[in-house]
Amino acid sequence: MTTTGNSDPLPFTPQIARETADVYRKVAHVVPEIEWPVHAPYVQAINALKREMNAVILAHNYMTPEIFHCVADFVGDSLQLAREAAKTDAALIVQAGVHFMAETSKILSPEKTVLIPDPQAGCSLAASITATDVRLLRPKYPRLPIVTYVNTSADVKAECDVCCTSSNAVAVVEDIAREWGVDEVVMVPDEFLAQNVAEQTAVKIITWKGHCEVHERFTAADIRAFRSSSPGVVVLAHPECPPEVIAEADFAGSTSGMIGYVGKHRPHRVVLVTECSMSDNVAAEYRDIEFVRPCNLCPYMKRITLPKILHSLQSLTVEVTVDPAVAARARASVERMLAVGSARPRASVAA
Ligand code: 13P
Ligand code: SF4
């Protein structure tokens, strides 16, 4: 049997065609029929193997549709995946997402085996700050709590007081400021997320200069261009975008916040100002909605493919490990965030 992502593709047989026909229907709207023979043998092999191995696949909303809809057991934004990692009974977790997400799963489930199909699946935000950087911030702001975005390494989480995601950042900032009795916090490493949070709270925020290389590319001019080329389009944006983009959007929220908005409001025409695969995943479900699709791909998320997921299960690689002492301190930051309560997607900024 083929065991690596680089080997010859698995063959598509009439039996596989029959047995995967129901799964294909879920993605038929966004995966052309001519592509299905490439994906189907992997979909079938992965689904059989994960049942045999008592494994779960946790997939981020940016995974491609054949992963998101065809092999994932749980899908969601960073907060939902962290919650799922904390409560799953499965002995083996395959993280279809980037490295910091796999580390978060390991931090929350140290007794489980966590695999990442490609360890090079990084993140420009996570790469923008180190534990040493955080240690150097402490003497500069001795009385202020340090909040870290979840898009960081375990080492950075271990040095910070609490973690947050894009769906709970305002609540976390307000909660930690109240607990410390301060009106200011340090928030690392995403400058734009920090600025967007500062727009929604009285707590002052000192930030870092990290950026998401996918979302920093969007501009206010892009949003105006979507509105003039696609009249009536509803604009949903991720808070990792620059504040000028959020100011032009109809709604800002985490990836799942945006999906929730589409499901609730059923706009006739919508643009998701975020990573490209998300539109495909949502369009597969809401076939009557027209999606305007700017295509900014996250090169790290796109390293995760079906052949690599299969190889990961077959070879039990690449196992994610976190030094137990670091994990214990990082867990305190993540658990403190989980205790703050459920996701609080941002309300509509316009309209
Ligand atoms: P979410 O938590 O909104 O899914 O964001 C994760 C991410 O990496 C966005 O770029
Ligand atoms: Fe990191 Fe941006 Fe990719 Fe999300 S989209 S994983 S923040 S580089």
Side-chain angles (χ1 to χ4, degrees), residues 60 62 77-78 149 151 166 215 238 240 254-255:
H60 186 260
Y62 291 162
D77 64 13
S78 307
Y149 193 28
N151 297 38
S166 60
H215 292 91
H238 195 277
E240 289 170 10
S254 75
T255 53

Side-chain angles (χ1 to χ4, degrees), residues 10 17 32 41 48 54 59 71 75 89 114 129 134 143 147 164 173-174 187 200 212 253 265 270 273 305 310 314:
L10 295 182
N54 186 25
V71 300
V75 294
D89 291 333
V114 178
I129 191 161
V134 180
R143 280 191 299 278
V147 180
C164 74
V173 161
E174 291 181 347
M187 187 174 174
Q200 300 172 71
C212 161
H265 298 278
V270 69
V273 184
T305 61
L310 180 59
Q314 289 170 329

Side-chain angles (χ1 to χ4, degrees), residues 101-348:
M101 295 175 176
E103 268 194 346
T104 305
S105 292
K106 184 65 185 176
I107 289 165
L108 289 169
S109 292
E111 73 292 355
K112 296 188 178 137
T113 302
V114 178
L115 303 176
I116 184 148
D118 186 332
Q120 305 296 321
C123 168
S124 66
L125 279 167
S128 74
I129 191 161
T130 64
T132 305
D133 292 328
V134 180
R135 281 194 289 272
L136 291 171
L137 282 173
R138 286 283 182 201
K140 279 178 85 179
Y141 307 105
R143 280 191 299 278
L144 299 186
I146 302 184
V147 180
T148 177
Y149 193 28
V150 70
N151 297 38
T152 47
S153 66
D155 289 339
V156 166
K157 290 183 180 74
E159 293 297 328
C160 293
D161 300 297
V162 65
C163 187
C164 74
T165 73
S166 60
S167 66
N168 62 14
V170 176
V172 167
V173 161
E174 291 181 347
D175 187 77
I176 195 95
R178 197 177 315 115
E179 188 186 293
W180 283 51
V182 293
D183 61 3
E184 199 169 14
V185 305
V186 179
M187 187 174 174
V188 298
D190 188 343
E191 181 183 30
F192 295 148
L193 177 71
Q195 290 169 345
N196 290 323
V197 168
E199 283 291 308
Q200 300 172 71
T201 175
V203 178
K204 292 195 272 311
I205 300 181
I206 297 160
T207 186
W208 188 254
K209 274 260 177 244
H211 296 142
C212 161
E213 69 181 58
V214 176
H215 292 91
E216 72 176 348
R217 299 212 299 269
F218 291 107
T219 65
D222 291 337
I223 309 301
R224 289 192 289 272
F226 297 143
R227 291 202 193 276
S228 68
S229 61
S230 305
V233 71
V234 173
V235 179
L236 313 184
H238 195 277
E240 289 170 10
C241 292
E244 62 165 33
V245 171
I246 301 301
E248 296 273 342
D250 297 305
F251 173 86
S254 75
T255 53
S256 289
M258 285 188 261
I259 296 171
Y261 184 103
V262 172
K264 184 166 174 212
H265 298 278
R266 299 291 187 110
H268 164 67
R269 182 178 276 172
V270 69
V271 56
L272 306 182
V273 184
T274 189
E275 211 269 350
C276 193
S277 292
M278 220 179 75
S279 294
D280 292 337
N281 292 332
V282 190
E285 217 167 314
Y286 300 107
R287 299 174 187 195
D288 51 331
I289 297 177
E290 184 193 329
F291 287 80
V292 176
R293 296 168 197 239
C295 206
N296 282 4
L297 282 170
C298 172
Y300 312 108
M301 291 278 183
K302 297 296 92 114
R303 295 189 79 98
I304 308 298
T305 61
L306 287 176
K308 287 184 194 171
I309 292 174
L310 180 59
H311 178 60
S312 185
L313 281 166
Q314 289 170 329
S315 60
L316 289 180
T317 57
V318 172
E319 186 170 353
V320 175
T321 56
V322 181
D323 173 80
V326 171
R329 293 168 63 218
R331 193 175 312 121
S333 286
V334 179
E335 284 179 346
R336 189 164 185 334
M337 164 186 84
L338 295 175
V340 168
S342 53
R344 210 172 66 167
R346 183 186 173 184
S348 177

